[in-house]
Amino acid sequence: AGNYGFQAQPMGVPGGFVVPPVYSQPTMGGTNWMPIPPSIPNCPPGLEYLTQIDQILIHQQLELLEIVTGFEESNKYELKNALGQRVYFAAEDTDCLTRNCCGPSRPFTIRITDNLGHEVITLQRPLRCSMCCCPCCLQELEVQAPPGTTVGYVVQNWHACLPKFTIQDGKRMDILKITGPCVVCSCCEDVNFEVKSVDETCTVGRISKHWTGFVREMFTDADNFGISFPMDLDVKMKAVMIGACFLIDFMFFEHGSNKHQRAGVW
């Protein structure tokens, strides 16, 4: 659609992921970071990394205080490439009252920084009713890159059975669709949300919630995700897909107060 070119994503490799070329692996502060790419004309600063990858792995960090007390802490995430090199670091910016009173339905700002500590992507989710029977109050997330410049939105679409979303550009033009499974349960297997063309005839990527083991699923709300997208997809839409992953996490898997539901034990 428009200038957002993409091709069908090869889905023959497990998870639909294709290992990118090997890069050098510098270590900064004990963390193995992806090398800083050169500047690219007309590319939002900090998104140059996304031109070199077709996969992002998102690992939520474990919070000891939250595990012991159940007191909801701000979420923090590492975003890595297929080689395990950190591409970005993401941190939730919310207050204590909002986290513990609103739970996974809370409004949030997530700030994503590069390996120089520069904020390159900002995700903003307003407070909306989370009940599926309220089609007038569906979830939405705004993606800014750089902060202050809106590059796209993730909009929930009402459906009686399936989790469905639309990825839009900064002008509210529909670019991609996301469809999840009827039963969003992470018991002993990955949960896949398929990313498709606007007419939903072609699968171009995937957002997967990875099964991390019974103990971790049962007693924590720290989740691991994988995102695959076409290498030639516009970097702004790649950033919006990252935002979609965070929205899906909060909507379906951030249930710290109900560990049995998270582990698929009813």
Side-chain angles (χ1 to χ4, degrees):
N3 295 323
Y4 304 103
F6 54 81
Q7 297 176 352
Q9 180 73 6
M11 307 302 287
V13 180
F17 301 144
V18 178
V19 178
V22 176
Y23 308 109
S24 59
Q25 300 187 17
T27 300
M28 302 174 60
T31 300
N32 183 26
W33 284 91
M34 181 176 171
I36 302 174
S39 298
I40 299 175
N42 301 319
C43 178
L47 298 193
E48 296 91 349
Y49 296 91
L50 299 180
T51 64
Q52 301 182 8
I53 57 178
D54 57 7
Q55 175 187 187
I56 283 280
L57 304 175
I58 300 179
H59 296 159
Q60 184 175 350
Q61 296 185 344
L62 292 172
E63 301 291 342
L64 182 59
L65 179 63
E66 184 174 327
I67 296 173
V68 174
T69 66
F71 190 82
E72 187 71 29
E73 294 285 296
S74 295
N75 291 343
K76 299 178 180 65
Y77 309 83
E78 288 185 296
L79 284 70
K80 301 180 179 181
N81 63 16
L83 300 176
Q85 298 171 320
R86 184 189 285 183
V87 183
Y88 298 117
F89 182 80
E92 178 188 355
D93 183 4
T94 55
D95 60 73
C96 175
L97 183 63
T98 298
R99 291 194 303 272
N100 289 278
C101 291
C102 299
S105 298
R106 61 185 179 267
F108 62 69
T109 297
I110 292 180
R111 306 188 187 280
I112 301 178
T113 56
D114 63 11
N115 57 15
L116 297 178
H118 299 149
E119 185 176 345
V120 296
I121 304 173
T122 302
L123 311 177
Q124 293 186 338
R125 176 199 189 188
L127 180 63
R128 295 282 180 87
C129 177
S130 59
M131 298 178 61
C132 63
C133 60
C134 296
C136 59
C137 297
L138 297 174
Q139 298 296 312
E140 182 173 300
L141 181 136
E142 179 182 349
V143 180
Q144 301 175 2
T149 302
T150 301
V151 296
Y153 301 86
V154 184
V155 180
Q156 182 187 10
N157 306 131
W158 187 89
H159 192 279
C161 301
L162 300 175
K164 303 197 73 165
F165 302 86
T166 297
I167 287 179
Q168 300 177 331
D169 65 10
K171 297 180 180 180
R172 294 282 187 175
M173 177 185 293
D174 294 352
I175 305 299
L176 296 169
K177 296 286 187 177
I178 301 175
T179 302
C182 182
V183 178
V184 183
C185 176
S186 58
C187 184
C188 301
E189 61 182 2
D190 294 351
V191 181
N192 297 317
F193 291 74
E194 302 296 335
V195 182
K196 301 182 178 182
S197 57
V198 174
D199 59 8
E200 301 189 39
T201 61
C202 177
T203 298
V204 299
R206 178 179 294 162
I207 297 174
S208 298
K209 194 276 181 186
H210 295 160
W211 170 254
T212 55
F214 184 83
V215 173
R216 180 161 176 162
E217 296 283 344
M218 185 74 171
F219 295 103
T220 79
D221 60 0
D223 298 313
N224 291 341
F225 285 84
I227 308 173
S228 66
F229 34 61
M231 184 74 78
D232 60 350
L233 181 66
D234 186 276
V235 292
K236 296 177 183 178
M237 294 303 101
K238 291 183 180 182
V240 179
M241 282 186 62
I242 293 174
C245 182
F246 283 107
L247 182 59
I248 287 171
D249 181 26
F250 273 80
M251 288 182 62
F252 301 106
F253 305 106
E254 183 74 10
H255 299 294
S257 62
N258 190 345
K259 309 299 183 186
H260 295 287
Q261 182 179 351
R262 289 178 46 80
V265 180
W266 300 93

